[in-house]
Amino acid sequence: MKELHNELHRHYALLLGVQSPWGVTGVKLDLEGQRVEIALEWSRGHEVSCPECGKCCAIADHAPERTWRHLDTMQFETRIRARTPRSRCPEHGVKTVAVAWAEAGSRFTLLFERFAIDVLLACRSLSQAGDLLRLDWDAVQRIMDRAVQRGLQRRELEGLAHVGIDEKSFRSGQSYISLLSDLDGSRVLEVVEGCDQQTAEALWLSLPEEQRRGIVAVALDMAPAFIAASRAAVPQAALVHDKFHVAKHLNEAVDTVRRQEHKDLLAQGDETLKNTRQLWLFNPLNFTEAQAADFEHLKWSGLKVARAWAIKELFSKLWTYGYEGSARKFFKSWYGWAARSKLKPVIKVAKMIKRHLENILTYLRHPITNAVTEGLNSKIQSIKSNARGFRSFQNYRTRILFFCGKLNLQPL
């Protein structure tokens, strides 16, 4: 029987990859609970290494017994149990030595954490991953937190040149988060709660000063808070107002004109603009034949919204210029038409564009946009939907960086 036990211990030592002076001293099988518990022990007479300096030291004592979740043995949940020796270092005092099968502070073995991270990356929600791993929500969240912390410590930022700043809704109401994205690497660099200047400053401070000095251009909207923070943090970088945000403002102006005109026409019993919202906002190249025919009639109808749409469409030509002088000449002509249009929503947006023209024209020298950030925002929205919302910002941040940060998440 003793020989059988010794053989079983050697078997599990090989499976675990445990090497001397650690050894398996017991294997407890719980058939009803479908659990295997493996006891490990440090052999007597062996010195330990100080975790601070690596010098060989005598053993001071042993830390209280701990358990670590390991990969399942067949369908049985497997746990490792051990008392870790503590070194008595002349220089650093008494320290708990590191174990080969787990990181400091973790309740899971390295192999289990690797597997758990792979499961998390493949699952739609943390709850699904927890069911597969047979872990509660808090345990899975801790694995994810550790993975992100590990990834941020390893992250390489050399060569970071083009970044984007954008905001996204967090909770209902006026609750937002702000994101800093690497446009070339298509990854989220940092997430901060809020969307004011202090928030934007915190985003920039998340980057080391050396990386901030290397930023060439920043894509951002026309929010004063983002502009002021970026000018202070990266004064050498060109600010490029995202052309998709400019288009969004113009589309909103067109829709405002349409809604007001539709209201006025309905008062006269005219339903010309009924159910036409999509026609004025969508790309005509994506219209069905019926939509194309309807729109062809509408855009030559002399309606105010048709004029607003034409002004909006013409502005897109600005992005095609290769020379700034030609672009300025075009804008002057376009602005004159918009200013004389007598369409207040259009005039308001035209004036806003004029105020920010210098940082709009930088696109001609640095053709970057927040399209990458918008793509990441779509992924973030899926994360938020799968989680059915977040009450904790820190959990939201962890989830975003886990799935969108392109971090090296796995333990060594």
Side-chain angles (χ1 to χ4, degrees), residues 117-365:
I117 289 167
D118 288 339
V119 170
L120 280 163
L121 290 170
C123 285
R124 292 184 60 192
S125 72
L126 189 145
S127 297
Q128 286 181 338
D131 291 341
L132 290 170
L133 296 167
R134 292 190 285 183
L135 292 175
D136 61 32
W137 190 94
D138 289 332
V140 179
Q141 182 65 46
R142 285 197 299 272
I143 290 175
M144 191 175 284
D145 289 338
R146 287 171 55 81
V148 168
Q149 182 180 16
R150 186 187 302 126
L152 290 174
Q153 289 172 348
R154 297 173 183 167
R155 183 172 63 181
E156 298 288 340
L157 294 173
E158 284 72 17
L160 188 64
H162 302 105
V163 300
I165 297 181
D166 202 6
E167 64 184 39
K168 181 172 178 56
S169 64
F170 175 26
R171 301 187 183 93
S172 58
Q174 299 298 311
S175 178
Y176 295 92
I177 61 170
S178 296
L179 300 99
L180 184 67
S181 305
D182 174 7
L183 301 182
D184 298 320
S186 299
R187 56 178 175 165
V188 174
L189 297 173
E190 188 51 275
V191 188
V192 179
E193 189 172 10
C195 59
D196 55 14
Q197 185 171 338
Q198 187 176 0
T199 299
E201 290 169 354
L203 282 176
W204 283 117
L205 289 175
S206 70
L207 296 179
E209 184 179 353
E210 183 180 354
Q211 271 64 54
R212 294 201 300 271
R213 287 199 301 266
I215 301 297
V216 175
V218 185
L220 70 174
D221 62 22
M222 290 175 271
F226 287 173
I227 294 171
S230 299
R231 282 177 174 161
V234 286
Q236 81 288 349
L239 304 187
V240 184
H241 288 320
D242 181 48
K243 70 176 185 178
F244 296 112
H245 277 93
V246 176
K248 178 184 176 182
H249 286 295
L250 287 166
N251 275 326
E252 289 173 350
V254 172
D255 196 47
T256 301
V257 172
R258 179 198 61 81
R259 284 188 280 109
Q260 184 58 54
E261 189 169 22
H262 179 47
K263 183 179 179 181
D264 293 341
L265 290 174
L266 282 179
Q268 303 170 30
D270 188 338
E271 297 186 343
T272 299
L273 290 177
K274 186 177 181 180
N275 298 325
T276 65
R277 180 177 182 273
Q278 293 182 342
L279 298 180
W280 301 108
L281 300 181
F282 286 15
N283 188 338
L285 296 176
N286 298 327
F287 286 168
T288 64
E289 288 187 15
Q291 287 176 323
D294 290 342
F295 189 66
E296 187 66 21
H297 169 72
L298 286 170
K299 73 179 184 179
W300 299 110
S301 62
L303 291 167
K304 293 178 181 179
V305 66
R307 192 151 32 101
W309 177 86
I311 293 171
K312 183 262 293 186
E313 284 294 296
L314 181 61
F315 184 83
S316 62
K317 186 180 178 181
L318 179 79
W319 312 114
T320 66
Y321 284 95
Y323 298 99
E324 191 173 309
S326 301
R328 288 183 183 277
K329 184 177 179 181
F330 164 79
F331 176 78
K332 184 178 180 180
S333 174
W334 176 88
Y335 180 79
W337 183 24
R340 295 190 300 271
S341 67
K342 297 182 180 180
L343 303 170
K344 289 184 179 180
V346 173
I347 294 170
K348 181 179 178 181
V349 173
K351 288 181 177 179
M352 179 183 67
I353 293 174
K354 185 179 181 181
R355 289 195 304 272
H356 295 279
L357 183 61
E358 296 307 314
N359 289 333
I360 289 175
L361 292 177
T362 50
Y363 175 82
L364 306 181
R365 288 180 281 115

Side-chain angles (χ1 to χ4, degrees), residues 9 23 217 247 271 401:
H9 294 173
E271 297 186 343
L401 292 172

